[in-house]
Amino acid sequence: MDTLASRLGAIIGGITDAPRVYCDANLSAGLIRFMRERLRWDVFFVMEEEDLRRASDIEHFRMAAQLRRTLLTLDKDYLDDVRFPPAEGSGVLVMSAPQEEQFERLLTQIDRVLFRQPSDKRSGDAFRMPLLGRKLHVHTDWQGELEQP
């Protein structure tokens, strides 16, 4: 379905090379600030949008795809391929760590592995949404490996 959000997502995606993520409500404000200030990511945070604060997981999944952003979450429910078919999404990244400091290390590693690869290897949507049609679950012992699509 062609919506204003999907059209704007495509336009903005062409303007910036910054990683574009859609963060659901279970990420802390501190992590949002870290992504924006330290990593320089373009972060859409649902807690800043009145209409999306209490949206269902499937609504977040669909909105991330419409906005052409990688969905970033702590919610392992998104790993369910029946409820959240990878081919219908713009990429899902589920993070697990016991402390905020470990999340920051994970985000730094994710930035390097997923979002800061030389642009000559990827272009278009593959550059802006490196997990397009895929999911990745990262945790404190993640070594930067990516499963092949």
Side-chain angles (χ1 to χ4, degrees), residues 9-10 13 20 68 70 90 122-132:
R20 299 180 71 241
R68 300 166 56 99
T70 301
S90 55
R122 300 175 295 165
S123 62
D125 285 343
F127 176 73
R128 290 179 186 87
M129 295 178 291
L131 294 177
L132 182 64

Side-chain angles (χ1 to χ4, degrees), residues 81-92:
D81 289 349
V82 174
R83 285 183 60 206
F84 307 99
E88 294 176 17
S90 55
V92 176

Side-chain angles (χ1 to χ4, degrees), residues 113-145:
V113 172
L114 285 179
F115 295 121
R116 303 297 179 184
Q117 292 293 318
S119 61
D120 61 336
K121 291 184 181 179
R122 300 175 295 165
S123 62
D125 285 343
F127 176 73
R128 290 179 186 87
M129 295 178 291
L131 294 177
L132 182 64
R134 299 188 295 159
K135 298 177 184 180
L136 181 63
H137 182 201
V138 298
H139 34 80
T140 54
D141 61 349
W142 181 60
Q143 299 296 309
E145 64 275 355

Side-chain angles (χ1 to χ4, degrees), residues 47-114:
M47 293 304 290
E48 297 169 343
E49 300 296 326
E50 187 72 34
D51 295 342
L52 293 174
R53 287 182 184 174
R54 298 195 189 279
S56 68
D57 288 351
I58 194 67
E59 289 175 276
H60 290 307
F61 181 75
R62 290 177 181 149
M63 183 60 74
Q66 283 183 355
L67 296 175
R68 300 166 56 99
R69 291 175 177 268
T70 301
L71 174 61
L72 184 57
T73 183
L74 309 181
D75 187 347
K76 293 178 186 168
D77 290 349
Y78 286 102
L79 297 174
D80 181 343
D81 289 349
V82 174
R83 285 183 60 206
F84 307 99
E88 294 176 17
S90 55
V92 176
L93 182 58
V94 178
M95 296 192 321
S96 299
Q99 299 173 339
E100 186 124 345
E101 179 182 296
Q102 292 167 314
F103 278 115
E104 289 179 2
R105 282 198 297 263
L106 265 179
L107 287 166
T108 300
Q109 188 175 10
I110 289 164
D111 184 58
R112 182 177 39 81
V113 172
L114 285 179

Side-chain angles (χ1 to χ4, degrees), residues 18-31:
R20 299 180 71 241
V21 295
Y22 180 105
C23 296
D24 71 3
N26 58 23
L27 279 100
S28 72
L31 289 177

